[in-house]
Every structure is written in C-alpha cells, then in structure tokens.
Amino acid sequence: SRRGTFSVYFKNKLKLALIGQSLFGQEVYSHLRKEGHRVVGVFTVPDKDGKADPLALAAEKDGTPVFKLPKWRVKGKTIKEVAEAYRSVGADLNVLPFCTQFIPMDIIDSPKHGSIIYHPSILPRHRGASAINWTLIMGDKKAGFSVFWADDGLDTGPILLQRSCDVEPNDTVDALYNRFLFPEGIKAMVEAVQLIADGKAPRIPQPEEGATYEGIQKKENAEISWDQSAEVLHNWIRGHDKVPGAWTEINGQMVTFYGSTLLNSSVPPGEPLEIKGAKKPGLVTKNGLVLFGNDGKALMVRNLQFEDGKMIPASQYFSAGETSVVELTAEEVKVAETIKVIWAGILSNVPIIEDSTDFFKSGASSMDVARLVEEIRQKCGGLQLQNEDVYMATKFEDFIQKVVRKLRGEDQETELVVDYVSKEVNEMMVKMPYQCFINGQFTNADDGKTYDTINPTDGSTICKVSYASLADVDKAVAAAKDAFENGEWGRMNARERGRLMYRLADLLEENQEELATIEALDSGAVYTLALKTHIGMSVQTFRYFAGWCDKIQGSTIPINQARPNRNLTFTKKEPLGVCAIIIPWNYPLMMLAWKSAACLAAGNTLVLKPAQVTPLTALKFAELSVKAGFPKGVINIIPGSGGIAGQRLSEHPDIRKLGFTGSTPIGKQIMKSCAVSNLKKVSLELGGKSPLIIFNDCELDKAVRMGMGAVFFNKGENCIAAGRLFVEESIHDEFVTRVVEEIKKMKIGDPLDRSTDHGPQNHKAHLEKLLQYCETGVKEGATLVYGGRQVQRPGFFMEPTVFTDVEDHMYLAKEESFGPIMVISKFQNGDIDGVLQRANNTEYGLASGVFTRDINKAMYVSEKLEAGTVFINTYNKTDVAAPFGGVKQSGFGKDLGEEALNEYLKTKTVTLEY
C-alpha cells in the first residue's frame, strides 16, 4: 500500500483546542499547524519535576496560549476559572491526541464541531486505558487505532476513522507504537481534522458486538500463570513490558521479566532454574532465560528485575550476586566525579546526587539516557556505554561500579570499540560508525584516507568516512577466508546460524528508528518510507532467510548400478566460501539485506562494499551484527570507491562469488574481471527501462495512483521504476491531466518531516544527470508537461516531472532516468500486439506492468512481456519470498525467495559403492 504517499491540498481550516500531553500530542500539534489549522489553545498537565510536557514546550515556543491544569473539575463540577479559560480561546473543535485527565462533558460539547479522541485500539475492542498492552496480552493478530467522536461513555463514541496493522510475533508495546500507532496515528489525526473541516467526517456508531473493556493492569495482577502455552506466556510478558511488568516468584523473591521472544530454534544449553508454579524449570543460557509452556514450546526473556529495582541480563542470574564492590583508583575517582556532575545536570530537580540516587525515580526519561551516554562519551575520554547499561544500573553507586568495570575491560561489551559520530536529529541521538569494519573491529583505512558523506537535504557534510584501500580489501578478504575455513562459523550447525540471523533481524527492528533516520540523512529517503520499506523489508528479509538455514538440502538420485555391487548417489548443497557483495545507493540497507541474508543463510562469509555515497547504514549494520553474536570475520564492510575497492573485489583470487546491483556498463566490467581472475560465480541485477502498459479498460483511479507510485516511489530512485508508460489513446489525455493534478498536491521537503512526500535526490551528480536528461527530452521534441527543474531550495531536490509525446526513437524512450521523471507514450486503441512490440523493444528486462480489467488480456500480455517480473493491476509489490531479478541486459541471477539461495551454494554429487 502506498497510503499517504501523496498529500492532499485542503482549503478549509479550523480553530483548534488541543487537550492532552506527550510527544504524540506535540507531533499532532505541529502537523496540524503545518497544514494551516490554527491552534488557539493548548490545555495540558502541569510541569513535572520542573520539566514541561513536550506539547507544552512546543506550544510555548510558537507563542500559542498554554494552560497547565492540575484538574478540570471538583466534586463532579467543572471549575469555573478553567471553563472560562477554555471558552476564551473560541475553538471550533477539541482535539485530544493523548489525554490522561477527565474532561467534563460541557467542555467536550462546547465547540461547534465537538471533540475527537485518538484511541490505540480497533474499537470497540479494548476500550479502556491499557489498550496497546491488551492487544498483545490477548494475542490479537491485528492492532490499530481509532479516531472517534467523544461522548459521555468510556471510549464508546461514534467512529470517525480507523487504521490497522499486523501484529508481528515478537512485537512489544514500544515496537507496535513506534512502527505504526505513533507515525500513522499522527497522520490520521490530521486527516480526521481535515475531514471535519471539509464537512466530510463520518459518524459511524460503534457496534456492541465484539466490544471489550479492560482496565489498567496493576503489578499485583501481572503475576504469570504458568500452565499455559509458550505463545500465551510470551504474550502476557510482552503485553506487560515495560509497565507494570509481568512477574513470578523465584527463590522467594518477586522477579519481573522483560524482553520476551518466542524461541524458534533449538533450546540452547543452560543451567536449570526452579520457578514457583512452573512445571518445568527454566534454563539460564548465555543468551537469556529460556521458559517453557505446557505445549513443550519455549520462549526467552532477556532481562530480569528484582524487588529492589535492580535489573540484570537474564543470562547473569547465577553470577549476579557474585560481583564484589571494586575499590576506585585516583583516576577512576575523577571519572566518577565527572559523571556525578553529568547526573546533576540531567537531574536538575535533585539537590545532591548521592550513592542511592536512582536515575529514573528522580525523573529521568529515555531521552535522558541517550544524553547521559553521549555526555559520558564526550567528557570521559570516549568511554562508550550502551543505553542498556543505564537500565541495568539505575542507582548512582551501581552505575559507577559498572562504568569502572567497563574502564578496566572486565565487561564483555568492551570487545567492540566504536568511535561514533553522533548527531541530535529527529528527536533522538543518532550514533553512526564511520570506519571500515574488518574482522570484527572498526578500524581506520590502512592509509588513513577519508572522504565526506553528504546530506542531500542541504548539501552539508554528515561526517568523514574511512576510504578503503587495496590493503583494506585484502585484509577483509583474509578475515572472511579465515572465518570460513578455520573459525566458529564454518563449524556452526545450520540452526545456530539461523538463530544468529533471527537475533540480527530483531536488533534491526529494535533500532529501526535510528536506522531510518540515518537512511534519511545519508540517502535522502523520506523517513516514513525508510521505516516501512528500507528498514522494514530488511528486517523481513533476514527473518525469511533465517528460516531457510536448516532447510537447505540435497537429494537422493537413483543411478544405474555397477553390478554385482550397488551404488548410492546423493547431492549436497554447500556454501561457496568468501563472497563479495557490491550494492547501490538507492536502498542502502535493503540492498544489503537482499544479498547478504541469502549469502549468510547458505553458510558463506562476506565482504560488502556499500555505495560510496551511502555507507552509513551498512556500518551501523556491522555494529548490530556483533551484538547479535556473529563471529569475527563473517561480515566485513569496506566503504570506498568502486574503482579501487570494488575492482579489487572482482579480481581477488580468494573470492568465489560476487553479487552486484548497479548499472549495466559496470556490471559488464565486473563480469569480465570475475571471469579473467578466477572464474568467480556472478549474479547481476542491472539497469532497467521497465514498461507499464495502461489499457483503456483499466480502473483509471487505481492506474493513476499506482502509475505515479511506479515512477515517483523513493524519488524515482527505484530499480524497477516504470521507465516508460504506454497509455491507450482514448484515456491518454485524462490520465495525464489526473497525474499532473496529483503531482501538484505532493509535498516536497525535508525527508524527516512526517508530512513530506518527495525528498531530495541521492547526490548532486545524480541531480545534474536528471536535469540533463530533461534537457535532452525537450531538445528531441518530447512535450514537457510538468516539472523538469531543480527546486529552488538548499539540497538536491527535483520537481516530479512528466513528459508526453515520447516517440520510440527518442533518448527518453530508450534510456533509464533513475529519477522522478514520467515518460508517457500513446498507443492506438486496441493495438495490443503493437504496444507489446514497442514495450519489448529494449535491451533491458527487469520489470514491467499492465493495468486492465480483462484477465485474458492481462495474462496474454504477461506472457509476452520480456521481463523478470510482471505486475498486473499493481506495481512495486515485491516480497521477500518472491524471486527478483532481470533478463537480457538487466542481468541474471535472483535475489529473494528460495532461488536466491542457489546463487550462494554449490552442488556436490557423492556416489558410493557397497
């Protein structure tokens, strides 16, 4: 689905009162103002521990009237002064994005349009305060939210709109909220307000069938009942994570569980742990505490919290009490004093930081954790802590002990040293590795060279990145070769390999907001698209191939017997060895995932070269691979140029396979080098000029919407983008008119702005190439209907562009733009074979599409189109299970699906006589 890809221009605007709090409320407030609505008043909660709510901060900064009210009524009656303050702003509509206070009905009904409320469930299911928690606790397969008209009931008012999403097996409250409920909820609240402004807002009565009400869960009600399946136990634990926390009794003490995942691999070895009420002891393993359901299946929890508030990794349960208090050296005392000053700066409401001071009980939030970790890195000699370190040691005394152990190298987490470049952006601290990643360590390039990676939004330098030399390539290949031939990876069983890949997928998902932010900074990807596609599909790809690890198998073959003896012949599928992967810049992380997941699932080691202009998510991926437990040398990342690092990979004698995605000319050069060097196995996903044929019997609204997505998705930087549209003559003019109307509604801007539809092109040279492409089209006589120019603002922005009257001999008809340029050609009514001949008259064959209501015509066209993929009445619909690749000069070999595994495997035939 491409919902929300193209914004809509609204002319009707309202005066709004925002009632509520939180970061969600702040985002709704900001987006409503951007859409032109006037927020005449913000009614929120008083400051807590001297800190204003985020909604209040944003409103005060804008000069919007802010009212901080402890309560709205006394003894059931509205406080007179509160009511007067409210009515003074003269709102047309009350908007309640997130509100913990009880708002009296005379306030709710006061504006002429009444009040609308956001609720994080698909009403009428899960009415009440803890809706997201109960969605998980009850094992719902669908989650979502409702925007409804407030009435005098509890979440019972008529529905204005609803949205839903799938619940993933290991979703947490945070994951569900951050992936869908937060970003889509903001957009939905803005949409709801505009529907009201336009007089189009429905009032759909809630059905009572399926209605449920659940209250706020309290700690005493969150005890785990053990005689249930592993999935039910998992749902109970994740539904209570982080508040109030699902608990059980272990050795007479209440212990709370956090970080639950279903265990899909074999149960690892561990030490038994008796748990009150559980029929089978848990297992304390090196990865966490394994728990068992009454169905014999298992789950794992990562962290445990004791009654005194102390939290530990579950893997350390038996050693947690053995840690002695370390005496500090004079130098370590100085570090402790520095950290005390940092704590005091964050906890400004605490007069004195004492040993017993608890970071979170003193008012710190998750954003303060990022600040603490970063300030310690800056002021304590680059000491690199993880956010989890703060959660594991919340009291100052315990925190200092943890820091000292880090300094002394007694903590295993210090194995990986990362010298980050950190930026406060998108309301988070983004931490980006920038060095080569070779043999499990981040290191500078051998010759010390670096280059600048540029933010296409404004042309500024994000950071300097190591520029890999020939020596760095050789080191990376040597590390990968040693890991394959002599290391743990080569001896690891397939299921354990799959477990590591599942863990890596989980880490990608846990860090998806940071990864999407880096992708937006480094490639110009619109943040919401980066979350869903760039990062979301990367997670799905690793999970998909993790499941294949223990299912790769050969076959038994009947052959002629060597009489009088007998023979047995079978085949084995084996990894190739060291593989090189070279990826492009349009989907930096997703292209990495598409190739490396299949490569690793097959048991190979790899050396990956990201595109020179977009190296940062690949390097962040390397960091996460270490956290997932991948042995050193299995994954190596070398940023740098194609001419040096890429060419060396294609020539290297120890590499047995090279997977490449990029241009056809470079693909030809790589294929030649691979052949001349050591006849490497090669797979190539190259250029395209994908035809999209739109017949006059299509569903025109859908064809317009999806035709635009086929061209403008990801700013047109999309390998399967529709490079040429053939539109049947009788609907041609209407199609063009509708496309231009929709383009005018698109918002071009900062990719981190949630309302942006169209971000900057990836880099300056590419923008200049696209502008030249348009100039060539005009010179050859094509009609420039819309766009064709650079947007007059900082950065590398280009207007979405439409050309018509494109004839077959023209440059635009033959060559790929790889940008937001729609190239339209007309074909005669009913000329199916003629348009097919024109569509196939290209050396490329990556993808294609057809829009028609006639299934016979659709199937005939799909058979005749010369392309690796054909979309019928849809476009851009790729899936991790469906093979992807081209024909002709668009390359050969497949990414995704079972077929991708064969690109990274060799078949060995074994025959024995008996």
Side-chain angles (χ1 to χ4, degrees), residues 265-338:
S265 56
S266 58
V267 176
E271 191 172 347
L273 176 64
E274 293 294 334
I275 299 172
K276 184 179 179 180
K279 293 183 178 180
K280 186 175 181 180
L283 277 181
V284 177
T285 74
K286 66 177 183 179
N287 302 312
L289 174 60
V290 176
L291 306 168
F292 299 93
N294 61 11
D295 56 353
K297 296 181 179 180
L299 60 146
M300 180 181 289
V301 294
R302 291 197 304 275
N303 299 319
L304 307 175
Q305 188 174 39
F306 298 105
E307 290 177 2
D308 62 0
K310 183 179 181 181
M311 186 181 286
I312 64 165
S315 59
Q316 297 178 11
Y317 178 84
F318 288 114
S319 58
E322 299 172 4
T323 306
S324 58
V325 177
V326 296
E327 293 292 329
L328 275 58
T329 65
E331 197 63 35
E332 290 164 350
V333 169
K334 291 180 181 178
V335 172
E337 289 300 322
T338 301

Side-chain angles (χ1 to χ4, degrees), residues 49-68:
D49 297 326
K51 294 183 179 181
D53 181 80
L55 173 57
L57 285 173
E60 287 169 344
K61 184 179 179 181
D62 294 332
T64 302
V66 176
F67 304 86
K68 300 179 180 180

Side-chain angles (χ1 to χ4, degrees), residues 162-444:
Q162 292 181 317
R163 299 284 184 269
S164 65
C165 69
D166 292 333
V167 178
E168 299 293 333
N170 290 318
D171 267 343
T172 61
V173 171
D174 285 348
L176 206 52
Y177 184 71
N178 293 329
R179 183 179 78 244
F180 184 80
L181 300 175
F182 182 88
E184 294 301 319
I186 293 164
K187 289 191 281 188
M189 288 297 281
V190 175
E191 181 181 346
V193 169
Q194 195 58 53
L195 286 170
I196 295 169
D198 294 338
K200 299 177 180 178
R203 291 176 179 262
I204 304 168
Q206 287 190 38
E208 280 309 305
E209 183 181 352
T212 64
Y213 172 81
E214 300 94 3
I216 298 174
Q217 275 295 81
K218 297 181 179 179
K219 192 72 175 182
E220 58 266 27
N221 300 327
E223 184 176 5
I224 300 167
S225 176
W226 288 103
D227 191 18
Q228 301 181 88
S229 69
E231 183 176 0
V232 171
L233 294 174
H234 166 64
N235 289 337
W236 184 263
I237 294 170
R238 66 175 176 151
H240 289 84
D241 189 342
K242 301 279 185 193
V243 177
W247 62 274
T248 192
E249 188 177 316
I250 302 176
N251 292 328
Q253 183 176 181
M254 178 191 287
V255 178
T256 305
F257 292 167
Y258 297 105
S260 173
T261 55
L262 287 170
L263 197 62
N264 295 311
S265 56
S266 58
V267 176
E271 191 172 347
L273 176 64
E274 293 294 334
I275 299 172
K276 184 179 179 180
K279 293 183 178 180
K280 186 175 181 180
L283 277 181
V284 177
T285 74
K286 66 177 183 179
N287 302 312
L289 174 60
V290 176
L291 306 168
F292 299 93
N294 61 11
D295 56 353
K297 296 181 179 180
L299 60 146
M300 180 181 289
V301 294
R302 291 197 304 275
N303 299 319
L304 307 175
Q305 188 174 39
F306 298 105
E307 290 177 2
D308 62 0
K310 183 179 181 181
M311 186 181 286
I312 64 165
S315 59
Q316 297 178 11
Y317 178 84
F318 288 114
S319 58
E322 299 172 4
T323 306
S324 58
V325 177
V326 296
E327 293 292 329
L328 275 58
T329 65
E331 197 63 35
E332 290 164 350
V333 169
K334 291 180 181 178
V335 172
E337 289 300 322
T338 301
I339 293 174
K340 180 175 283 191
V341 172
I342 296 170
W343 274 51
I346 296 172
L347 305 176
S348 55
N349 54 305
V350 178
I352 300 174
I353 303 297
E354 300 175 337
D355 285 349
S356 59
T357 300
D358 188 286
F359 193 67
F360 295 105
K361 290 179 181 178
S362 299
S365 66
S366 57
M367 292 184 67
D368 295 316
V369 173
R371 174 182 167 185
L372 175 62
V373 169
E374 181 58 19
E375 281 200 51
I376 289 175
R377 188 187 72 82
Q378 292 176 343
K379 297 176 182 179
C380 298
L383 174 61
Q384 188 58 62
L385 301 176
Q386 303 299 324
N387 289 3
E388 200 73 7
D389 293 327
V390 186
Y391 291 110
M392 292 294 181
T394 61
K395 291 181 180 178
F396 184 74
E397 181 180 32
D398 296 336
F399 185 74
I400 293 300
Q401 290 285 309
K402 192 165 194 64
V403 167
V404 169
R405 290 189 171 89
K406 287 262 187 185
L407 287 169
R408 296 180 183 182
E410 296 173 10
D411 194 307
Q412 291 182 350
E413 291 297 317
T414 58
E415 284 185 38
L416 180 66
V417 178
V418 189
D419 190 6
Y420 298 105
V421 169
S422 299
K423 288 186 180 293
E424 183 79 34
V425 62
N426 201 23
E427 298 180 343
M428 68 181 76
M429 182 62 70
V430 176
K431 300 166 74 173
M432 298 170 284
Y434 61 89
Q435 298 165 296
C436 299
F437 182 75
I438 299 172
N439 204 25
Q441 299 291 335
F442 284 103
T443 180
N444 291 328

Side-chain angles (χ1 to χ4, degrees), residues 682-702:
V682 182
S683 57
L684 303 171
E685 195 253 278
L686 306 176
K689 187 66 177 173
S690 301
L692 175 56
I693 303 172
I694 301 175
F695 289 101
N696 60 13
D697 61 349
C698 70
E699 185 180 333
L700 190 57
D701 287 341
K702 184 177 184 181

Side-chain angles (χ1 to χ4, degrees), residues 765-912:
H766 182 53
L767 172 63
E768 292 169 351
K769 177 185 172 185
L770 293 174
L771 296 173
Q772 182 62 49
Y773 187 91
C774 293
E775 289 179 17
T776 301
V778 172
K779 287 178 183 176
E780 287 192 337
T783 301
L784 177 60
V785 177
Y786 190 87
R789 298 169 298 181
Q790 181 175 357
V791 179
Q792 295 305 304
R793 56 170 289 162
F796 312 138
F797 292 83
M798 182 177 179
E799 295 175 337
T801 299
V802 178
F803 278 98
T804 60
D805 303 318
V806 178
E807 298 176 11
D808 294 356
H809 68 275
M810 291 180 177
Y811 182 82
L812 269 62
K814 296 179 179 180
E815 297 300 325
E816 180 182 31
S817 72
F818 212 65
I821 302 172
M822 183 177 283
V823 175
I824 304 176
S825 298
K826 190 185 302 181
F827 70 94
Q828 292 182 354
N829 293 332
D831 189 11
I832 299 175
D833 290 323
V835 74
L836 278 169
Q837 184 178 3
R838 295 171 70 190
N840 288 330
N841 187 24
T842 173
E843 274 299 302
Y844 299 109
L846 188 57
S848 59
V850 55
F851 279 82
T852 176
R853 286 190 174 97
D854 186 339
I855 187 63
N856 293 319
K857 185 192 297 184
M859 295 309 296
Y860 175 79
V861 171
S862 70
E863 288 171 9
K864 297 296 183 182
L865 283 169
E866 298 169 0
T869 296
V870 181
F871 299 108
I872 300 176
N873 294 330
T874 187
Y875 209 89
N876 285 326
K877 180 56 182 172
T878 55
D879 188 271
V880 293
F884 179 94
V887 297
K888 300 194 285 191
Q889 291 199 43
S890 288
F892 51 83
K894 296 294 183 183
D895 292 324
L896 303 180
E898 183 181 357
E899 286 192 42
L901 290 167
N902 294 324
E903 303 296 333
Y904 297 94
L905 292 166
K906 60 188 177 185
T907 301
K908 178 182 287 183
T909 302
V910 179
T911 299
L912 64 89

Side-chain angles (χ1 to χ4, degrees), residues 125-160:
R125 189 163 173 80
H126 303 311
R127 293 169 176 164
S130 301
I132 313 176
N133 305 74
W134 284 104
T135 297
L136 296 176
I137 292 169
M138 300 303 290
D140 293 1
K141 301 303 180 185
K142 290 280 186 181
F145 58 80
S146 307
V147 179
F148 69 96
W149 299 92
D151 66 3
D152 58 359
L154 185 61
D155 302 331
T156 57
I159 300 297
L160 196 161

